Amino acid sequence: MADYRTEFPDFPAADMPAIPEGFADASWRNDACPSFLSEALGLRLWIDYADPLQRDHSDGSRYQLVPDSMDDDISDGIATDDWAALLAAIEEERAQVADVLDTLEKADGAVLQWQLDHNRRFANAMLKRGLIRSEGDVLIHPKARKVTDLTFTMAQPAEMRVLYTGDNEGPSIMLLSKLIANFNAGGGWYAHASEEAMRQELESRGWFEGLHANGHYLVLDLDHVKLEPHPDHPDNQVTR
């Protein structure tokens, strides 16, 4: 984890204000000054030296709040020497993010873009920051699940015990959420495979097959196909 005191040992700790909630240290010694990142807001906070002579630009502002994503060319950055004004700007950003997410959540996770016309500019900024996603004209909550091509839901799926096996892997018994997390982390979705497709086929017929870098694989819903693994199976990762 980054630590500005290590990356900038000459930055006096007494000159560092209390960092706003949700911002994590993201300082790097090759930057001009310490920085802190809020993934929930998609914003980066820069805090320069209190002594202007220690700054790369002595006539520049001490505090800056900018979108972390280079793609966000909608939001304007804030540069100021007024810490209170910067904190107020952060709270305004929190309120606008919460408003967009609340609108999506109340609509089962997705709305047409015109339904956010009251906050369209900020919704587009959130889209560019990667805080929400889109499909065509539909804006989608980051936690929403796709049920059909036109339907989303905020309801979280029921957990499922699965057996996973492949050409060069397994067999292993685990919770589906763990398998999906492994696929997401390892880039295991190939061709038309996706979390939505896997869940739908497991729920409807009890099995799903696909292809990834390690070859073919098969996933079975143990309860759906009425298989009961032996609790002493060496790769049984499910607590029973």
Side-chain angles (χ1 to χ4, degrees):
M1 179 179 292
D3 187 331
Y4 81 89
R5 291 166 296 189
T6 301
E7 301 297 313
F8 295 91
D10 62 340
F11 194 106
D15 290 344
M16 181 61 71
I19 304 304
E21 181 181 356
F23 282 79
D25 200 329
S27 302
W28 185 44
R29 68 192 63 185
N30 288 339
D31 289 330
C33 62
S35 67
F36 301 82
L37 177 64
S38 169
E39 293 186 357
L41 300 177
L43 296 175
R44 186 177 290 265
L45 168 62
W46 297 92
I47 300 180
D48 217 331
Y49 291 85
D51 181 358
L53 296 179
Q54 289 186 275
R55 304 175 193 170
D56 277 7
H57 302 282
S58 59
D59 57 346
S61 299
R62 187 179 178 203
Y63 309 115
Q64 292 189 59
L65 184 70
V66 297
D68 187 53
S69 172
M70 297 293 290
D71 291 332
D72 182 0
D73 54 2
I74 298 172
S75 305
D76 295 323
I78 298 168
T80 180
D81 290 318
D82 186 343
W83 181 246
L86 186 132
L87 293 179
I90 290 174
E91 291 311 308
E92 182 179 348
E93 291 272 342
R94 288 194 206 278
Q96 293 198 73
V97 168
D99 178 69
V100 172
L101 293 179
D102 185 58
T103 300
L104 292 173
E105 187 169 349
K106 288 179 178 177
D108 287 331
V111 300
L112 292 169
Q113 292 198 22
W114 66 264
Q115 292 174 280
L116 271 170
D117 276 349
H118 71 287
N119 209 348
R120 178 68 174 275
R121 184 175 183 274
F122 199 80
N124 288 338
M126 287 180 65
L127 190 62
K128 289 202 168 189
R129 294 182 197 174
L131 302 182
I132 58 177
R133 64 186 197 275
S134 69
E135 289 188 15
D137 291 332
V138 177
L139 298 176
I140 307 164
H141 193 287
K143 294 182 179 179
R145 295 190 299 119
K146 191 170 186 178
V147 179
T148 70
D149 284 343
L150 298 175
T151 309
F152 293 81
T153 180
M154 289 299 295
Q156 295 305 300
E159 193 53 273
M160 184 184 300
R161 298 182 307 150
V162 299
L163 184 145
Y164 170 82
T165 188
D167 288 342
N168 302 294
E169 301 174 287
S172 295
I173 301 161
M174 65 186 74
L175 295 176
L176 179 58
S177 58
K178 174 64 175 177
L179 178 62
I180 288 172
N182 291 343
F183 269 53
N184 289 338
W189 305 110
Y190 278 35
H192 299 293
S194 66
E195 175 180 347
E196 292 81 7
M198 180 180 287
R199 285 190 182 277
Q200 287 174 7
E201 293 198 19
L202 286 170
E203 290 170 358
S204 63
R205 65 183 183 182
W207 58 275
F208 181 85
E209 62 177 342
L211 179 69
H212 55 34
N214 291 326
H216 294 86
Y217 64 87
L218 176 68
V219 184
L220 296 175
D221 174 1
L222 295 175
D223 296 323
H224 192 287
V225 297
K226 302 188 186 311
L227 289 178
E228 191 63 32
H230 194 284
D232 294 331
H233 187 292
D235 289 323
N236 187 351
Q237 301 175 35
V238 180
T239 301
R240 298 178 55 77

